[in-house]
Amino acid sequence: MSSLVQPRLVNDPFSDPALFVDFRFGRRAILFDLGDVAPLTSRELGRVTHAFVSHRHMDHFAGFDRLLHARLYRPGRLCLAGPDGFIRGVTAKIDAYTWNLLDESSPNFEILASEFVEGQIRKSVLFRSQEKFAPRPHDAPEGLPAGLLLQDPEFRIECVALDHGTPCLAFALQETLRVNVWTAGLDELRLSVGPWLNAAKRAVRSGASDDMEIEAGPGRRVRLGRVRDKALQVAPGQRIAYVTDARFTPANVASILDLARNADHLFIEAAFLEEDEGVAAERLHLTARQAGELARRAGARRFTVFHHSPRYLDRREALLKEADRAFRGEPPAAV
Ligand SMILES: [Zn+2]
Ligand SMILES: [Zn+2]
């Protein structure tokens, strides 16, 4: 099954969270959260076009510096988004450094920082390396529907704010359509596998006309409709959801279920064991049981728990088991 993106947690579930969403056939990647991103190579960080930060607790934002460092001398725009106060946070981080060596001749690198408040992006600021990162007001994206952080022909990023004592954003990547190749169909058309197929898939995902002509190898032009009918299989796009740092309240539960509904893969925090439910409530986090139950109720096909409290460093299995039993609808194991 060929998917547009492959998500992976950057490090072990006791480390500061970051989910690396790698686009399989493109030179781009997205990050959900900027915790400890040290395990990512500078090449991987260099591909990041967007980083969505759930909230500004240090364990979710401290990796900003490393990302900035990796991107600084590569031309292009890095888009960042976070909750209310995020622009102030980005500005403060940029202000921590001296930029006297940057000028008009520096590689044209930009940071666009946006705040998602009350269901949409309300404010954006642009920082350009060639201007020593002096902040400039920037128009919020036009025509972006409420609840979205990004809309691309091939996918969109949905967002919802959860209550964690402070607004904490949860994200979902929804692929527009999933397009798989059927090699027997390619044989029938006497076409061979090649990079042209990515262009064909992209065209299908973005709703291009059947009459569009595709270059299917040297000197071979073929109608998109013909390739699609014979050699491509189109299915609903995959959905990946990322939920972290949320207290277990009815409002949060409703928002999480909406966001994670029928997700192909839900990444969800499981900070505490159910036996420490009181501590979880006090610290405004989910337990493993709650995480598994939410994954089940949302109808997620697969889920991964992360962001475990270090108090369970030698009890990771217990967290996994508890979440898994709840996911399967089984009662908690007797202690
Ligand atoms: Zn937090
Ligand atoms: Zn956290």
Side-chain angles (χ1 to χ4, degrees), residues 9 13 266 268-270 288 291-292 303-308 316 319-320 323:
L9 288 166
L266 166 64
I268 185 163
E269 74 148 350
F303 81 117
T304 300
V305 287
F306 69 100
H307 208 9
H308 304 326
R316 183 170 172 216
L319 288 155
L320 291 178

Side-chain angles (χ1 to χ4, degrees), residues 11 29 44 50 53 58 62 64 76 81 114 123 140 157 162 183 201 219 224 228 249 288 300 308 311 313 318 330 334:
N11 45 40
E44 285 169 326
H50 293 76
V53 176
M58 202 172 175
F64 172 88
S114 302
K123 196 173 156 195
I157 304 290
L162 303 175
T183 40
K201 287 176 168 185
L224 180 64
R228 195 188 52 200
T249 61
H308 304 326
R311 68 171 63 195
L313 266 169
E330 293 170 11

Side-chain angles (χ1 to χ4, degrees), residues 165-182:
T166 180
C168 179
L169 305 183
F171 312 108
L173 179 145
Q174 175 67 55
E175 187 185 1
T176 313
L177 286 172
R178 191 184 306 208
V179 185
N180 295 311
V181 177
W182 194 50

Side-chain angles (χ1 to χ4, degrees), residues 68-79:
L68 175 59
H69 200 225
R71 286 301 315 271
L72 193 52
Y73 297 106
R74 294 174 200 243
R77 180 176 285 187
L78 171 65
C79 297

Side-chain angles (χ1 to χ4, degrees), residues 141-292:
E142 228 173 87
L144 188 67
L148 294 194
L149 283 170
L150 174 64
Q151 190 160 35
D152 181 281
E154 296 182 70
F155 70 96
R156 63 177 184 267
I157 304 290
E158 301 173 19
C159 181
V160 65
L162 303 175
D163 173 15
H164 172 53
T166 180
C168 179
L169 305 183
F171 312 108
L173 179 145
Q174 175 67 55
E175 187 185 1
T176 313
L177 286 172
R178 191 184 306 208
V179 185
N180 295 311
V181 177
W182 194 50
T183 40
L186 277 185
D187 292 346
E188 204 182 310
L189 292 174
R190 296 176 190 281
L191 295 170
S192 45
V193 176
W196 69 272
L197 269 171
N198 296 328
K201 287 176 168 185
R202 219 169 12 248
V204 170
R205 280 196 206 99
S206 56
S209 149
D210 280 358
D211 292 328
M212 178 179 168
E213 291 236 315
I214 295 274
E215 189 109 30
R220 277 300 305 270
R221 294 183 75 80
V222 56
R223 275 179 58 244
L224 180 64
R226 195 158 157 72
V227 178
R228 195 188 52 200
D229 292 348
K230 294 274 183 194
L232 298 179
Q233 196 182 26
V234 180
Q238 70 171 330
R239 185 174 183 84
I240 292 155
Y242 175 89
V243 174
T244 192
D245 294 46
R247 68 206 312 182
F248 194 68
T249 61
N252 276 352
V253 166
S255 299
I256 293 168
L257 291 180
D258 264 358
L259 188 84
R261 180 98 48 225
N262 300 325
D264 295 276
H265 200 155
L266 166 64
F267 293 84
I268 185 163
E269 74 148 350
F272 294 93
L273 279 171
E274 191 66 14
E275 67 189 37
D276 296 318
E277 191 193 355
V279 187
E282 205 176 285
R283 308 256 175 98
L284 316 166
H285 281 283
L286 298 176
T287 67
R289 184 195 62 79
Q290 291 160 352

